C-alpha cells in the first residue's frame, strides 16, 4: 500500500477518533454549559444541607443557573457554608432566598433560588442571608410519629 | 521427604527469579524503546504505517463491538431501572458505564487481541527468520526501525479507539432506549448531561485508555522481541501477549479506578 493511501487512512482515523472525543465531551459531558461559563461566587449558610453534594445544580424557576462549588462547615456557627458559582449572565437580588430542594421524592438534591424585591444585586463574594435548610425525611417521619403518639395518648385519657 | 521439600522450594525460588529477571528485562526494554522515541517521530511514515495497522484496521471491530455493548446496556439497564421507576436515568447509566469503564477496558481487550497479537507475531517472526539480526548487520537498529514505531503506533491509536468505542456505545444505548423502547429523547440526553462530568468522567476515561495503550503495546512488543526463535515460540509468545495484556489491563483498571473514583 502506498504511503499516500496510508496517510489518508490515518488522517481519517485520527479525525473520527477526535470527533468521538469531542462528541463525548460536548454531547455527553455538556462541557460548554457547565464548567467553562464565566461566573461569580456567592456563599449561603444552611443549618442542614441534607444530601447536597458539590457539583449539584443551582436552579432558579427550574432553570440551571450554576453549580455548588464547595461545601464547608463554619467552625464558629456550626452551619454548613455552600459556595455557589452562578453564571455571569444571571443576576439575583440581595434578598434572594436559597433553599435546598429535592426533585421528586428520591431525585437529585439541588439549591433553589427565589428572587426577592431588593434593588441591589448579588455580586462576587456576597453571602445570601435568607436560607432554608434541607427537609430531612427521617426527622419529618419522627415528628409525625410523635404527633400521632401524643394525640393517641390524649384520646385515651 | 526433606529432599522433596527442598526441591519444591528450589523450583519456587527459580520461578520467582525468572519472573523478576523477566520483569527487569521488560523494564529495561521499555526504557530502550523510549530512548528511540525521537527516531519513531523523525521517521514519521514508519509510525503512521503502524497506526494504520494497529488503529485503522481495528476500527470496524471497535465500532461494532461498541454499538452492541451499548445496545445491550440499554436493554439490561432499562430492565433494571424500570423496576425502580427511574428509566429516564438510562442515558446516565449507559454513558457513565461506557466512558468510565467499558470503553477503555473492552477497547483495550479487543486491541490486545486484534493488534497486540499481530505486533507480537510480526516481531517474533522477524526474529525467528533472523531479519532483526540482518538489520543489525546492516547497522540498522531494529529497536529504532521496527519496535519503537510499533510501540508508538499502538500507544497513539488506543485513546482514539476507546473514545470511538464509548461514542458508538452511547449511540447504541440511544438507539435502544429512545428508538426501540421509546424513552423521551430529551430526558435521555439531559439526564446524561447533568450527570456526566468532563473532568471526572471523560478525562479520566481518556487517561485510562492511554495507560492501557502503553501496557498492551509494551507487552506485545516485548513478547515479540523475547520470542524463542522457533515456530512454537512465536505461537506461544502470541498467546502470552493476549493473556498477559488482558490480565494487566484488568488489574491496572482496578488500581486506576481506586485512585480516580474512590470517595466520589
Amino acid at each position: 500500500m502506498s504511503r499516500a493511501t496510508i496517510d489518508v487512512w490515518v488522517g481519517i482515523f485520527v479525525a473520527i477518533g477526535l470527533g468521538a472525543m469531542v462528541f463525548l465531551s460536548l454531547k455527553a459531558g455538556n462541557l460548554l454549559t457547565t464548567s467553562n461559563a464565566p461566573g461569580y461566587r456567592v456563599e449561603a449558610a444552611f443549618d442542614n444541607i441534607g444530601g447536597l453534594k458539590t457539583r449539584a445544580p443551582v436552579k432558579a424557576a427550574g432553570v440551571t443557573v450554576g453549580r455548588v462549588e464547595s461545601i464547608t462547615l463554619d467552625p464558629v456557627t456550626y452551619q454548613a457554608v455552600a459556595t455557589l458559582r452562578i453564571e455571569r449572565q444571571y443576576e439575583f437580588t440581595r434578598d434572594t432566598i436559597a433553599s435546598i430542594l429535592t426533585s421528586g421524592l428520591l431525585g437529585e438534591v439541588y439549591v433553589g433560588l427565589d428572587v426577592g424585591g431588593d434593588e441591589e444585586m448579588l455580586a462576587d463574594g456576597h453571602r445570601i442571608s435568607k436560607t432554608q435548610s434541607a427537609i430531612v425525611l427521617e426527622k419529618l417521619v419522627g415528628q409525625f410519629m410523635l404527633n400521632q403518639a401524643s394525640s393517641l395518648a390524649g384520646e385515651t385519657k | 521427604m526433606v529432599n522433596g521439600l527442598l526441591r519444591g522450594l528450589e523450583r519456587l525460588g527459580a520461578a520467582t527469579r525468572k519472573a523478576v529477571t523477566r520483569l527487569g528485562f521488560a523494564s529495561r526494554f521499555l526504557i530502550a524503546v523510549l530512548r528511540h522515541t525521537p527516531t519513531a517521530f523523525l521517521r514519521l511514515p514508519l509510525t503512521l504505517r503502524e497506526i494504520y495497522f494497529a488503529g485503522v484496521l481495528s476500527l470496524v471491530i471497535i465500532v461494532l463491538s461498541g454499538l452492541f455493548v451499548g445496545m445491550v446496556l440499554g436493554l439490561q439497564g432499562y430492565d433494571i431501572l424500570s423496576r425502580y421507576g427511574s428509566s429516564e436515568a438510562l442515558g446516565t447509566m449507559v454513558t457513565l458505564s461506557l466512558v468510565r469503564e467499558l470503553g477503555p477496558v473492552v477497547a483495550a481487550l479487543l486491541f490486545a487481541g486484534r493488534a497486540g497479537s499481530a505486533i507480537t507475531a510480526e516481531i517474533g517472526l522477524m526474529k525467528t527468520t533472523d531479519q532483526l539480526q540482518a538489520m543489525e548487520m546492516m547497522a540498522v537498529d531494529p529497536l529504532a526501525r521496527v519496535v519503537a514505531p510499533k510501540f508508538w503506533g499502538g500507544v497513539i491509536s488506543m485513546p482514539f479507539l476507546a473514545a470511538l468505542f464509548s461514542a458508538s456505545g452511547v449511540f447504541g444505548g440511544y438507539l435502544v432506549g429512545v428508538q426501540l423502547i421509546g424513552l423521551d429523547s430529551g430526558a435521555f440526553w439531559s439526564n446524561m448531561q447533568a450527570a456526566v462530568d468532563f473532568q471526572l468522567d471523560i478525562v479520566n476515561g481518556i487517561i485510562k485508555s492511554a495507560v492501557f495503550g502503553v501496557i498492551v503495546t509494551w507487552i506485545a512488543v516485548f513478547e515479540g522481541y523475547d520470542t524463542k526463535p522457533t515456530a512454537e515460540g512465536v505461537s506461544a509468545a502470541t498467546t502470552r501477549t493476549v493473556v498477559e495484556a488482558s490480565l494487566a489491563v484488568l488489574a491496572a483498571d482496578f488500581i486506576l479506578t481506586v485512585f480516580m473514583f474512590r470517595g466520589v
Side-chain angles (χ1 to χ4, degrees):
Chain A
M1 191 175 284
S2 79
R3 181 188 286 183
T5 331
I6 287 180
D7 283 0
V8 170
W9 274 109
V10 170
I12 293 171
F13 170 66
V14 172
I16 58 175
L18 284 177
M21 285 182 189
V22 170
F23 166 78
L24 288 174
S25 313
L26 296 188
K27 188 76 185 175
N30 211 5
L31 180 64
L32 287 183
T33 50
T34 47
S35 51
N36 273 7
Y40 58 95
R41 289 178 184 79
V42 294
E43 286 180 345
F46 298 95
D47 291 328
N48 191 334
I49 56 162
L52 190 73
K53 294 205 171 66
T54 51
R55 298 203 295 121
V58 178
K59 294 183 180 180
V63 180
T64 304
V65 296
R67 301 258 159 201
V68 175
E69 202 168 62
S70 65
I71 299 168
T72 49
L73 184 71
D74 188 320
V76 183
T77 60
Y78 291 102
Q79 279 186 315
V81 179
T83 309
L84 316 177
R85 186 186 162 86
I86 298 170
E87 290 171 37
R88 193 176 288 158
Q89 77 243 40
Y90 301 112
E91 287 196 322
F92 295 95
T93 56
R94 284 224 57 171
D95 58 349
T96 294
I97 302 170
S99 35
I100 294 177
L101 304 166
T102 311
S103 53
L105 198 57
L106 300 166
E108 58 169 0
V109 181
Y110 65 95
V111 177
L113 298 179
D114 293 304
V115 183
D118 204 325
E119 305 263 293
E120 218 182 318
M121 292 295 174
L122 279 172
D124 201 61
H126 281 172
R127 178 172 277 213
I128 296 175
S129 48
K130 293 180 184 164
T131 61
Q132 193 178 24
S133 289
I135 296 164
V136 180
L137 209 58
E138 293 91 318
K139 281 189 183 170
L140 265 186
V141 172
Q143 229 161 31
F144 175 73
M145 303 243 284
L146 212 66
N147 285 346
Q148 285 286 12
S150 59
S151 65
L152 275 177
E155 274 168 27
T156 48
K157 245 173 215 172
Chain B
M1 172 66 196
V2 176
N3 258 346
L5 192 68
L6 270 181
R7 213 169 303 138
L9 282 175
E10 191 189 327
R11 225 172 282 154
L12 181 67
T16 312
R17 180 180 49 77
K18 258 184 214 155
V20 172
T21 314
R22 234 174 112 69
L23 198 64
F25 186 28
S27 311
R28 286 181 57 189
F29 182 74
L30 179 67
I31 292 168
V33 170
L34 288 179
R35 277 228 301 275
H36 286 289
T37 304
T39 34
F41 286 105
L42 285 177
R43 304 182 65 183
L44 205 56
L46 287 177
T47 309
L48 287 184
R49 212 182 87 95
E50 299 307 333
I51 296 180
Y52 177 81
F53 283 118
V56 178
L57 294 182
S58 309
L59 269 181
V60 177
I61 184 178
I62 289 285
V63 170
L64 278 182
S65 323
L67 205 61
F68 284 125
V69 167
M71 292 199 285
V72 169
L73 274 179
L75 285 172
Q76 295 284 13
Y78 178 76
D79 179 49
I80 295 169
L81 288 173
S82 60
R83 290 182 201 181
Y84 301 100
S86 48
S87 52
E88 66 277 3
L90 184 68
T92 312
M93 199 210 90
V94 169
T95 311
L96 281 185
S97 22
L98 277 167
V99 172
R100 284 183 173 185
E101 293 294 335
L102 289 173
V105 172
V106 180
L109 295 181
L110 290 170
F111 184 73
R114 167 68 190 72
S117 58
I119 291 174
T120 307
E122 194 180 335
I123 298 179
L125 204 66
M126 287 178 97
K127 186 181 178 188
T128 311
T129 52
D130 292 331
Q131 291 182 50
L132 296 182
Q133 270 181 310
M135 278 185 187
E136 271 170 25
M137 301 269 273
M138 293 187 289
V140 176
D141 189 345
L143 278 185
R145 178 71 176 70
V146 176
V147 176
K150 281 193 194 305
F151 178 76
W152 281 107
V155 169
I156 292 169
S157 303
M158 190 51 222
F160 293 129
L161 290 175
L164 271 168
F165 188 97
S166 301
S168 56
V170 171
F171 183 67
Y174 167 81
L175 280 184
V176 166
V178 177
Q179 304 295 338
L180 186 71
I181 297 176
L183 291 177
D184 181 48
S185 138
F188 183 87
W189 290 112
S190 64
N191 276 327
M192 175 196 304
Q193 288 166 355
V196 178
D197 185 60
F198 178 70
Q199 197 76 32
L200 179 73
D201 300 318
I202 292 171
V203 171
N204 275 348
I206 293 175
I207 292 174
K208 268 188 181 180
S209 60
V211 173
F212 297 162
V214 172
I215 290 174
V216 171
T217 338
W218 173 26
I219 291 176
V221 290
F222 174 71
E223 287 294 351
Y225 203 79
D226 194 42
T227 305
K228 230 194 258 169
T230 58
E232 286 130 39
V234 175
S235 88
T238 314
T239 310
R240 266 207 309 273
T241 294
V242 178
V243 173
E244 284 171 8
S246 307
L247 283 176
V249 162
L250 293 171
D253 181 50
F254 171 69
I255 295 169
L256 286 174
T257 306
V258 166
F259 281 108
M260 286 172 173
F261 297 107
R262 201 180 50 177
V264 173

